Amino acid sequence: MSQHRVIVVGGGLAGLAAAVRIAEAGTHVDLFSLVPVKRSHSVCAQGGINACNEVARQQGYSEYEHFDETIYGGDFLADQHPVLEMANWAPRIIDLLDRMGVPFNRTGEGNRDLRLFGGSLFKRTHFAGATTGQQLIYALDEQVRRYESEGKVFKHEFQEFLWPVMEQGRCVGIVAQDMRTMHIRAFRADAVIMATGGCGLVFGKSTNSIICTGAAAARCFRAGAWYGNPEMIQVHPTAIPGADKLRLMSESARGEGGRVWVPRKAKDPRAPKDIPESERWYFLEEKYPAYGNIVPRDIATREIFDVCVNQGMGVYGENQVYLDLTHKDPEYLTRKLGGILEIYEKFVGEDPRFTPMKIFPAVHYSMGGLWTTYTKGSYNPQTALTKHKSGSPAPIDAKVGQGMQLGAVNNSMTNIPGLYAFGEVNFAYHGANRLGANALLSCIFDGLFCGVSVLNFIRNEAPGKNPAVDLPAGAYDAVVQQETAKMKHLLDGAKPANQDASTNPYMIGKELGEEMTAACTVVRTEARLKQCLGKLAELKDRYSRLRLADGASWTNQSFGYARSVGDMLVLAEAIALGALERRESRGAHYRSDHTGRDDGNFMKTTLARHANGVTAVEFVPIDASLILPTARTYGKKDSSPNAAAAPAMASAAS
Amino acid sequence: MTATAQTPRRTATPDRTVTFRIKRCDGPGKPSYWQDFRVKVPKNSNVISCLQQIAAEPVTAGGERVTPVVWDSGCLEEVCGACTMVINGKVRQSCSCLIDDYAPADGDVITLEPMSKFPVVRDLWVDRSRLFHNLARIKAWVPIDGTYDLGAGPKETPASQATHYVLSTCMSCGCCLEACPQFNLEEDRDQWDSSFIGAHAISQARLFNAHPTGSELKPDRLDVLMGEGGVNDCGNAQNCVQVCPKHIPLTESIASIGRQVTLHAISKFFRG
């Protein structure tokens, strides 16, 4: 083993994949996580993981088409080369997971089964029941446990990342706090990988786990890391409303034949089974005959939102539509979707195999994140090609290294040398909208592919000559002092008698979530976003006078939450600012006062920077040299509740 | 899920107030004490949403302002295992515990306690590291050759996948250990390797022994499981299988590993 150490912050798919890759190369990994890594938010991913496969390939599909779908699905906002490399790697990643023992669903012959997912006409989604994320993270958790047993990985669980440590212009470690003992200390490293996921809690209730505050990313942002496309927040079309969170109903429910509908008569009081077929409005199937219910997420979300909020056609007059699987064989549903249907039954009390589910959109995923860079690979056509025609031969094969150069030290590195961002916490792959079942892929791809870049960085760049272990203690001590002072400030005067709601962290967090959900989700306008920024300023002011009810110096959970609220406020401001300045509509970002896509001004990355407490955004060019942008319509047609009954649902290309 | 349409739930009283009787503890070595909190429960409430209300405004039923209650939680969809606690005397995840089911009438009481088989960190939060330690003991992984591109894994029949998938849904929540009479609180780490390993780990050994590549480590796993604290310490109470939220056939796994251990012991005897 070398004397080098790498810190991985976050034990979800991206973090674990990175840890495995780096540990197997003989470099020591310190893995930090708020929770035992097996409980990370990746467990919530349900539907599957996309990759070109042999069946689809023989029907005309290719890695290149997967790449093209991802760019088109993301509404041409992503830099294109990294996406190409990810699509080319996808089949290899599935094979690796298969070797690790992931119980992928199987066909009669014992091959990996496939399902249809949003944004594709080919079956290219691999799955393990309806808990694919859980199964993938368990496989990686097991591999990490193996390296932990061999002493190559050390897990620091229940440790909260507080701040990166910078010295000589590069990141040389972190400061973290034990959530139980409250002890704050510095950890040295030759490179730090942030793999800390999304920021759903900024919106209060979302489909995210309770730990997905985005605080870790916000702290890097505050420390000088750039943030890309903060306004690109995916609102998932189908979630189950709840008092504590909005639980995801996987896109696979639609992929397996689920039909979205409302009664053609507003506020129809009848039970769904009593409404005949001709009096049901299958609005997605009517408006999008080619894709039907499997249109991408932002489109499905806006259509559901429009039907309920603008047209007042929601089921029983409330903000909800039916997601109906009752026409399918119950045994088939149990086999293919058992896990997610069980969640619905458990939390709503109705069996979706016999009663249509009632669902509504919820904040789900952050396409935006810490800004990262890369080195282009060998595929650089003289002119960008027109959009790929589905099922036609691919212009290139799937050789590794065409999209990104394998091992280049800057792949998925932030603007701070030595500080990397992997998985949902970066902005790299999904543009303005993520396709279903591409998230798990991007996490594992980052870990495996860019993990090699981290290894090369510590060998060949500054840490090679000047490892962190030899650096002076000054920079580390300074950050420990900064964080200790921050804690003292928050805990000062904390006592149960504090009861002013305006300075209660939970109230500030709740109001933040409500405001962001109202102003920054499905439909955005300049006026509302400006109002939102005003509200954020008010919340920041109240936050500065925050009073805690618990002053304990042992396992003080409300203190941890309160500190995160301060970071969420910073991230919220970047989201609202990006949404305000992006005066167009693209992917998940829909401005009712600027409904068209404006490639001339905004086919650019929103780059947010934070300095001296002030966030500013600008738009910087992207590299779109592989595919020319086209209108992203998914073949939309007109439809209204009074039109004739819907045509049959479009079938897959298979 | 059963294959027939479900029976409707009892109708809960709207806008009711429910009392949470919570067993609290300020930290390791500190005494436990009980506090009552009255919570007004909106529609679709569960134990987590009520704990969130208590955290935001921690006032006891007697009107005393106290510190917020501490608890562990994560996904809130019963797939991460974090929020496991003892509710009305029975271990389960608190996120999937619906108030409409547990306290349908005004004034109903719900008791919350931390799991008793693991050391308390604070209030309802316990330290379950022993559970993960036991997974390492039985080498619960597939020993692959590394992350290089070496082609696909072995083919598998749908029937075999169905069996393995269920075993693989174990979220390490610890319900089976809380309910087990043979698995007891053990704060001394040095005793962990000789104390009962628990149904979850035995079931994972079955999963990995059945995998073509995973079976490479089968002798190592069975060595551990035939030793002190291994499968023979199971008292056959069968509580584990009844409390498992993922309906994992834990007793089948214990029986299967029992047979494997017997064969392993015989084969070791003849090999000397």
Side-chain angles (χ1 to χ4, degrees):
Chain A
M1 303 258 288
S2 71
Q3 59 177 335
H4 289 118
R5 298 176 86 93
V6 171
I7 282 178
V8 176
V9 184
L13 282 176
L16 294 180
V20 169
R21 190 64 144 184
I22 291 164
E24 98 180 356
T27 297
H28 186 89
V29 176
D30 286 296
L31 178 57
F32 288 77
S33 174
L34 295 171
V35 294
V37 294
K38 194 177 177 177
R39 309 200 197 286
S40 302
H41 178 60
S42 302
V43 295
C44 288
Q46 299 172 346
I49 174 165
N50 293 331
C52 182
N53 55 83
E54 283 316 304
V55 177
R57 193 189 303 284
Q58 289 169 40
Q59 293 168 339
Y61 192 69
S62 59
E63 285 86 351
Y64 187 85
E65 183 164 343
H66 182 192
F67 155 62
D68 182 271
E69 286 166 354
T70 306
I71 295 293
Y72 181 72
D75 221 348
F76 299 91
L77 190 59
D79 288 296
Q80 296 182 351
H81 282 85
V83 180
L84 174 67
E85 193 64 21
M86 176 177 78
N88 283 351
W89 266 70
R92 297 172 177 86
I93 287 171
I94 302 293
D95 278 350
L96 172 61
L97 294 166
D98 193 13
R99 284 170 49 223
M100 287 177 179
V102 171
F104 285 115
N105 276 50
R106 299 283 164 169
T107 64
E109 199 189 324
N111 294 309
R112 293 174 302 228
D113 202 0
L114 300 159
R115 65 165 46 131
L116 198 57
F117 236 71
S120 186
L121 296 171
F122 287 90
K123 287 192 181 180
R124 47 101 162 106
T125 302
H126 305 70
F127 61 104
T131 60
T132 310
Q134 179 199 46
Q135 293 305 309
L136 300 196
I137 198 174
Y138 287 3
L140 287 165
D141 173 58
E142 288 146 11
Q143 294 300 320
V144 166
R145 187 165 291 109
R146 175 188 176 190
Y147 287 118
E148 189 187 15
S149 299
E150 295 172 10
K152 294 173 180 168
V153 173
F154 192 90
K155 281 189 196 148
H156 304 259
E157 290 171 333
F158 299 115
Q159 291 266 350
E160 182 167 0
F161 165 84
L162 299 183
W163 209 260
V165 179
M166 254 78 87
E167 169 84 0
Q168 299 170 0
R170 63 182 165 108
C171 181
V172 294
I174 67 168
V175 166
Q177 181 171 33
D178 188 308
M179 293 159 68
R180 295 156 299 188
T181 64
M182 312 278 287
H183 187 57
I184 293 175
R185 63 166 281 209
F187 298 84
R188 292 167 182 249
D190 297 290
V192 173
I193 300 168
M194 301 303 294
T196 52
C199 58
L201 257 73
V202 168
F203 295 82
K205 289 195 280 184
S206 73
T207 66
N208 287 190
S209 293
I210 213 81
I211 47 178
C212 303
T213 59
R219 288 165 192 162
C220 292
F221 179 55
R222 298 172 77 175
W226 302 342
Y227 204 91
N229 299 331
E231 71 276 22
M232 293 304 174
I233 297 289
Q234 181 168 77
V235 182
H236 196 287
T238 59
I240 313 162
D244 51 341
K245 84 171 282 192
L246 311 170
R247 294 177 178 85
L248 179 66
M249 178 43 59
S250 167
E251 185 167 314
S252 56
R254 289 182 290 139
E256 292 293 349
R259 304 179 74 187
V260 174
W261 64 278
V262 291
R264 284 188 184 275
K265 203 173 86 194
K267 297 182 187 163
D268 194 326
R270 290 175 293 178
K273 65 175 175 17
D274 299 328
I275 301 178
E277 198 67 14
S278 61
E279 294 174 39
R280 299 175 175 192
W281 183 27
Y282 294 95
F283 52 93
L284 289 177
E285 295 173 29
E286 289 186 18
K287 289 181 183 175
Y288 302 90
Y291 287 84
N293 294 290
I294 53 163
V295 287
R297 294 179 172 173
D298 59 311
I299 295 179
T301 292
R302 265 196 305 281
E303 296 292 354
I304 293 169
F305 190 84
D306 180 59
V307 160
C308 294
V309 178
N310 300 335
Q311 304 192 39
M313 293 293 293
V315 173
Y316 302 126
E318 289 180 38
N319 280 342
Q320 51 190 10
V321 301
Y322 287 125
L323 173 55
D324 194 346
L325 282 162
T326 59
H327 54 290
K328 305 288 283 187
D329 171 32
E331 292 302 322
Y332 174 85
L333 293 174
T334 304
R335 201 167 63 247
K336 288 293 180 75
L337 299 171
I340 57 168
L341 301 185
E342 209 172 320
I343 288 178
Y344 187 87
E345 188 181 11
K346 213 161 245 168
F347 288 96
V348 178
E350 290 172 350
D351 186 341
R353 295 173 306 164
F354 302 98
T355 308
M357 294 179 277
K358 294 191 282 283
I359 54 94
F360 195 69
V363 166
H364 181 54
Y365 188 86
S366 170
M367 280 74 69
L370 292 172
W371 180 89
T372 48
T373 182
Y374 61 94
T375 298
K376 273 204 269 192
S378 59
Y379 176 56
N380 291 293
Q382 294 218 309
T383 52
L385 305 184
T386 51
K387 179 166 172 26
H388 182 72
K389 186 171 176 298
S390 180
S392 67
I396 49 166
D397 60 19
K399 229 169 41 221
V400 168
Q402 293 185 112
M404 276 199 274
Q405 197 185 98
L406 179 61
V409 298
N410 68 345
N411 290 337
S412 286
M413 192 193 269
T414 66
N415 56 303
I416 298 169
L419 182 66
Y420 291 80
F422 289 5
E424 186 175 349
V425 76
N426 77 27
F427 88 120
Y429 303 101
H430 307 294
N433 172 57
R434 175 175 67 76
L435 288 187
N438 261 354
L440 301 183
L441 176 61
S442 60
C443 287
I444 299 173
F445 172 69
D446 264 335
L448 294 179
F449 186 87
C450 303
V452 181
S453 301
V454 176
L455 287 164
N456 286 341
F457 173 79
I458 61 175
R459 271 187 215 121
N460 305 332
E461 303 287 319
K465 294 181 221 74
N466 204 359
V469 68
D470 296 335
L471 296 174
Y476 299 97
D477 293 345
V479 180
V480 169
Q481 277 165 19
Q482 167 198 312
E483 292 303 316
T484 307
K486 208 185 274 177
M487 173 165 80
K488 192 172 172 301
H489 171 74
L490 283 170
L491 286 179
D492 258 0
K495 55 182 182 296
N498 290 332
Q499 50 181 307
D500 180 0
S502 75
T503 55
N504 178 324
Y506 293 96
M507 294 303 163
I508 295 175
K510 184 164 176 274
E511 285 179 45
L512 167 68
E514 285 166 0
E515 179 66 11
M516 291 301 286
T517 302
C520 281
T521 53
V522 185
V523 179
R524 299 162 168 180
T525 65
E526 175 153 345
R528 189 65 187 83
L529 288 165
K530 282 185 170 159
Q531 187 189 335
C532 174
L533 285 165
K535 176 73 182 180
L536 292 177
E538 178 215 313
L539 291 175
K540 271 180 153 179
D541 175 57
R542 279 163 51 188
Y543 182 80
S544 69
R545 288 178 278 114
L546 181 133
R547 284 286 170 268
L548 286 172
D550 190 354
S553 54
W554 173 264
T555 321
N556 189 332
Q557 229 168 18
S558 55
F559 157 71
Y561 175 75
R563 180 170 51 195
S564 300
V565 169
D567 298 298
M568 286 193 271
L569 283 165
V570 174
L571 215 47
E573 196 176 52
I575 293 167
L577 256 181
L580 176 68
E581 295 300 326
R582 185 175 281 281
R583 292 183 173 80
E584 63 154 359
S585 291
R586 181 185 297 270
H589 170 70
Y590 179 75
R591 283 281 296 261
S592 59
D593 47 355
H594 297 277
T595 54
R597 196 177 80 188
D598 177 358
D599 287 347
N601 288 312
F602 294 111
M603 205 169 100
K604 292 178 178 172
T605 296
T606 315
L607 188 69
R609 292 183 234 217
H610 188 87
N612 305 321
V614 179
T615 297
V617 301
E618 62 176 309
F619 293 91
V620 299
I622 61 165
D623 186 330
S625 57
L626 305 184
I627 306 175
L628 288 167
T630 47
R632 179 172 170 275
T633 62
Y634 287 95
K636 181 175 180 175
K637 297 203 163 133
D638 287 338
S639 167
S640 80
N642 306 316
M649 187 190 158
S651 60
S654 57
Chain B
M1 269 191 304
T2 56
T4 52
Q6 83 290 347
T7 48
R9 299 193 170 200
R10 279 183 296 171
T11 319
T13 312
D15 297 327
R16 66 195 182 284
T17 298
V18 169
T19 297
F20 283 83
R21 184 157 296 153
I22 301 177
K23 189 177 185 181
R24 304 196 59 176
C25 172
D26 294 344
K30 305 262 176 71
S32 293
Y33 56 98
W34 291 85
Q35 276 177 347
D36 286 5
F37 298 88
R38 292 210 185 100
V39 177
K40 198 158 187 260
V41 290
K43 217 169 85 177
N44 291 334
S45 290
N46 56 23
V47 167
I48 297 281
S49 70
C50 294
L51 282 171
Q52 286 173 339
Q53 286 187 55
I54 293 170
E57 216 185 345
V59 181
T60 65
E64 187 193 355
R65 300 196 74 87
V66 294
T67 56
V69 177
V70 171
W71 79 101
D72 196 3
S73 66
C75 73
L76 313 189
E77 324 187 334
E78 207 193 70
V79 74
C80 82
C83 69
T84 310
M85 57 183 74
V86 178
I87 303 176
N88 287 356
K90 197 186 152 196
V91 67
R92 63 167 297 163
Q93 279 72 54
S94 48
C95 65
S96 58
C97 183
L98 305 187
I99 307 302
D100 282 0
D101 288 346
Y102 268 63
D106 195 49
D108 278 354
V109 178
I110 296 179
T111 62
L112 306 180
E113 297 167 74
M115 283 193 278
S116 64
K117 302 294 177 73
F118 300 99
V120 172
V121 177
R122 188 176 170 186
D123 293 340
L124 300 169
W125 186 1
V126 296
D127 176 0
R128 278 172 280 185
S129 41
R130 179 177 164 201
L131 187 161
F132 295 106
H133 173 85
N134 286 349
L135 291 180
R137 274 173 74 193
I138 53 116
K139 301 188 177 174
W141 55 76
V142 174
I144 58 166
D145 283 348
T147 58
Y148 294 92
D149 181 20
L150 300 172
K155 282 195 181 187
E156 186 176 27
T157 64
S160 157
Q161 186 273 345
T163 307
H164 296 152
Y165 175 69
V166 176
L167 299 179
S168 189
T169 56
C170 173
M171 54 187 181
S172 305
C173 65
C175 281
C176 59
L177 306 176
E178 178 68 19
C180 175
Q182 307 306 120
F183 189 94
N184 295 304
L185 178 69
E186 182 54 75
E187 306 211 25
D188 180 2
R189 289 182 85 102
D190 292 341
Q191 299 301 314
W192 284 0
D193 288 351
S194 54
S195 312
F196 183 45
I197 196 161
H200 77 298
I202 295 171
S203 191
Q204 290 289 297
R206 176 186 173 205
L207 171 65
F208 288 99
N209 283 356
H211 188 275
T213 316
S215 66
E216 179 67 22
L217 296 172
K218 186 173 172 180
D220 295 17
R221 294 190 193 106
L222 294 179
D223 278 346
V224 169
L225 289 168
M226 69 188 279
E228 202 182 351
V231 70
N232 290 326
D233 282 20
C234 166
N236 204 26
Q238 309 205 6
N239 293 356
C240 53
V241 74
Q242 286 168 29
V243 296
C244 176
K246 296 292 137 187
H247 312 296
I248 298 169
L250 293 167
T251 44
E252 264 177 43
S253 293
I254 293 169
S256 165
I257 289 294
R259 284 190 298 274
Q260 290 180 28
V261 158
T262 306
L263 290 171
H264 182 65
I266 293 169
S267 119
K268 272 190 105 152
F269 177 79
F270 283 110
R271 273 190 279 118

